Amino acid sequence: KAGVTQTPRYLIKTRGQQVTLSCSPISGHRSVSWYQQTPGQGLQFLFEYFSETQRNKGNFPGRFSGRQFSNSRSEMNVSTLELGDSALYLCASSFSGGSYEQYFGPGTRLTVT
Amino acid sequence: GEDVEQSLFLSVREGDSSVINCTYTDSSSTYLYWYKQEPGAGLQLLTYIFSNMDMKQDQRLTVLLNKKDKHLSLRIADTQTGDSAIYFCAHGGGRRALTFGSGTRLQVQP
């Protein structure tokens, strides 16, 4: 089975712009979770989608949003980018959802200048 | 609280055993995980243990759980240079998201 894929792998944006990141889960997995990884805050949970519904949400501002499509692919969007949004954004897929057996993609490295 | 604490750094010689420790505060966790992250890569799920277990062995990896002390450890036998990476302890359960520790950087010296 192919693993979790994320596109793009690297992205450079300017403050105030918006960005959309994409994640394709492992075939058959219905849950996609997003995490932000920074040197200062470590790994922090953004949100989880399961069968196209947001099932859980972390403590991030409303500028961070996501969605999931009927084929389980997910996108996350960050609007009005700030310098502090520079991070590695990781997507994880799971068959049953929640924290059980999450498999991670390689991440998208976002740099905001 | 949901804090997970790990030591920042561990250095071992190739062929020795490595033991990476983790403590957590959330006693309701159902699953406890170990992930490995190599430079420039995502997280690789190494192994996990259910909270009703004390020990799990998987090839060179041994996970020990002391639920009373909320202490989790990962032992890597015969550590190789390819094991050099950052190791994250994480816990979760039910529909809750994973809560990660800050990671332990393992350096394996030849």
Side-chain angles (χ1 to χ4, degrees):
Chain A
K1 269 188 184 176
V4 179
T5 58
Q6 292 187 246
T7 56
R9 291 293 312 279
Y10 303 92
L11 208 48
I12 300 175
K13 290 286 188 179
T14 305
R15 267 183 305 174
Q17 288 186 315
Q18 75 165 16
V19 68
T20 299
L21 312 182
S22 181
C23 171
S24 292
I26 292 170
S27 178
H29 284 191
R30 298 174 293 172
S31 165
V32 173
S33 296
W34 289 89
Y35 293 83
Q36 182 196 64
Q37 185 178 27
T38 60
Q41 300 298 316
L43 281 151
Q44 294 186 288
F45 170 72
L46 283 153
F47 28 66
E48 179 198 4
Y49 286 86
F50 186 90
S51 294
E52 300 179 68
T53 301
Q54 187 180 85
R55 198 157 78 166
N56 200 355
K57 188 176 186 304
N59 189 25
F60 277 81
R63 300 186 296 109
F64 292 81
S65 63
R67 58 179 177 167
Q68 187 179 33
F69 302 95
S70 58
N71 62 357
S72 293
R73 189 177 70 87
S74 176
E75 289 181 345
M76 69 163 278
N77 184 277
V78 188
S79 62
T80 321
L81 283 165
E82 300 176 0
L83 294 178
D85 297 333
S86 294
L88 181 67
Y89 289 88
L90 292 161
C91 148
S93 80
S94 165
F95 176 77
S96 56
S99 57
Y100 186 61
E101 277 200 71
Q102 288 191 0
Y103 294 90
F104 283 78
T108 294
R109 171 75 62 186
L110 172 64
T111 302
V112 182
T113 62
Chain B
E2 300 181 33
D3 290 338
V4 181
E5 292 190 3
Q6 300 180 240
S7 53
L8 289 180
F9 185 76
L10 175 66
S11 180
V12 300
R13 290 202 176 274
E14 194 173 17
D16 288 349
S17 291
S18 309
V19 179
I20 302 170
N21 295 300
C22 166
T23 57
Y24 60 97
T25 57
D26 186 353
S27 57
S28 67
S29 298
T30 308
Y31 312 110
L32 296 116
Y33 298 87
W34 285 102
Y35 282 88
K36 174 184 179 183
Q37 186 175 36
E38 297 181 76
L43 301 178
Q44 175 191 353
L45 175 60
L46 286 177
T47 186
Y48 61 90
I49 188 168
F50 292 106
S51 59
N52 62 356
M53 298 169 65
D54 298 323
M55 185 183 88
K56 180 179 180 182
Q57 189 154 2
D58 186 358
Q59 298 182 332
R60 292 190 299 123
L61 305 178
T62 303
V63 178
L64 294 178
L65 174 61
N66 182 327
K67 198 173 179 184
K68 174 177 168 289
D69 294 339
K70 300 190 187 70
H71 181 267
L72 183 73
S73 68
L74 174 70
R75 178 176 179 270
I76 305 173
D78 187 25
T79 313
Q80 303 296 307
T81 54
D83 295 325
S84 293
I86 300 176
Y87 290 80
F88 291 93
C89 158
H91 69 84
R95 291 190 173 188
R96 288 180 293 140
L98 287 171
T99 300
F100 286 89
S102 53
T104 299
R105 182 178 296 275
L106 174 64
Q107 180 183 71
V108 182
Q109 298 177 355

